[in-house]
Amino acid sequence: MASYDVLNINVGGIRMKTLRSTLLKYPGSLLAKMFQHGSTLCPMTEDGAYFIDRNPASFVWVLSYLRSGVLPPNLTNEQLEEVRVEACFFFLEDLRLKIDAALTGGASFIRCNVSGVDHKVPMALFGNIPKHMISTLLELVIAKDFHSGKNSTIFFHNTEAFSLITNSLRHNMDVTTDVALGASLHGYTYLSYAARLFLFMKNSFYSDK
């Protein structure tokens, strides 16, 4: 078998054809692992097609991107969000980044999930802190309140922690002890320190050249 083999795939009941090399385009992706020679990750249907149990309407656009390297220009935001789900599932980071840029008009943001509710926090909120440092800093200072998920999503389990950090950065203010908040928020002093650290970083850190 060669990388230019023509493959029959069945995505959620819809048959498609593509080259093996198309599916192998991004070596670190799940698709590449599924269709590399010798892989047993992708089951076969009775008629010999490779079966992928995903949404065929969204996978069409994933396949289009793998072929051309370009996002179709006519997708709605709803369609982009659906394709983003597939990009995350298949670990297609380049596609995810392009979708994020399209959804925000090119603006950069960090996606946060706060107790199950999605938020998009503008990178501008973090000032000069380099993007690759933000998740690392969050993990260091408030590890008890969130965990870093794959695909650059930050999952907060404490809504008050999220509000304290983002409000401090948004208003460029220091955090002083609040008796009422302190009574309701366990570990407030710890989170206050986190907010202070981010404010300091925002005002003093120089972005990568």
Side-chain angles (χ1 to χ4, degrees), residues 5-57:
D5 294 339
V6 176
L7 302 182
N8 291 308
I9 58 177
N10 182 322
V11 184
I14 302 298
R15 294 179 63 86
M16 305 178 191
K17 284 181 181 287
T18 191
L19 293 174
R20 185 185 299 274
S21 59
T22 300
L23 299 172
L24 298 177
K25 184 171 182 179
Y26 294 96
S29 70
L30 178 57
L31 282 173
K33 296 185 188 312
M34 291 169 66
F35 289 96
Q36 65 186 359
H37 297 304
S39 173
T40 58
L41 293 177
C42 195
M44 304 284 289
T45 61
E46 292 180 355
D47 59 358
Y50 291 93
F51 183 71
I52 302 175
D53 192 18
R54 301 298 295 175
N55 181 354

Side-chain angles (χ1 to χ4, degrees), residues 28-107:
S29 70
L30 178 57
L31 282 173
K33 296 185 188 312
M34 291 169 66
F35 289 96
Q36 65 186 359
H37 297 304
S39 173
T40 58
L41 293 177
C42 195
M44 304 284 289
T45 61
E46 292 180 355
D47 59 358
Y50 291 93
F51 183 71
I52 302 175
D53 192 18
R54 301 298 295 175
N55 181 354
S58 299
F59 191 82
V60 165
W61 300 118
V62 172
L63 200 55
S64 173
Y65 178 79
L66 291 175
R67 288 167 173 160
S68 66
V70 177
L71 266 181
N74 57 339
L75 294 183
T76 65
N77 282 357
E78 182 178 355
Q79 288 173 318
L80 285 170
E81 289 284 5
E82 291 173 355
V83 177
R84 188 184 190 281
V85 170
E86 301 306 309
C88 292
F89 179 82
F90 290 113
F91 302 115
L92 293 166
E93 185 69 2
D94 285 356
L95 175 55
R96 181 193 67 79
L97 290 173
K98 287 186 178 180
I99 292 173
D100 284 351
L103 287 170
T104 58

Side-chain angles (χ1 to χ4, degrees), residues 93-161:
E93 185 69 2
D94 285 356
L95 175 55
R96 181 193 67 79
L97 290 173
K98 287 186 178 180
I99 292 173
D100 284 351
L103 287 170
T104 58
S108 184
F109 67 89
I110 287 184
R111 185 175 288 253
C112 297
N113 183 299
V114 186
S115 297
V117 179
D118 283 331
H119 297 264
K120 294 176 181 177
V121 181
M123 280 295 300
L125 190 65
F126 295 93
N128 292 324
I129 305 176
K131 186 173 182 179
H132 71 276
M133 290 291 294
I134 293 174
S135 292
T136 301
L137 285 168
L138 284 169
E139 188 169 5
L140 287 172
V141 298
I142 50 174
K144 294 180 180 178
D145 298 283
F146 86 99
H147 66 87
S148 296
K150 293 178 179 178
N151 307 308
S152 300
T153 297
I154 299 171
F155 292 83
F156 284 82
H157 299 301
N158 186 317
T159 56
E160 290 170 300

Side-chain angles (χ1 to χ4, degrees), residues 165-209:
I165 298 294
T166 54
N167 286 339
S168 297
L169 292 171
R170 184 172 291 113
H171 300 293
N172 203 45
M173 64 183 184
D174 201 355
V175 181
T176 57
T177 303
D178 184 314
V179 177
L181 180 59
S184 62
L185 177 58
H186 176 68
Y188 171 71
T189 302
Y190 186 64
L191 294 170
S192 174
Y193 165 75
R196 288 170 185 267
L197 175 61
F198 268 89
L199 192 60
F200 170 76
M201 295 295 288
K202 175 182 179 181
N203 293 327
S204 64
F205 211 106
Y206 292 93
S207 59
D208 292 340
K209 301 300 182 182

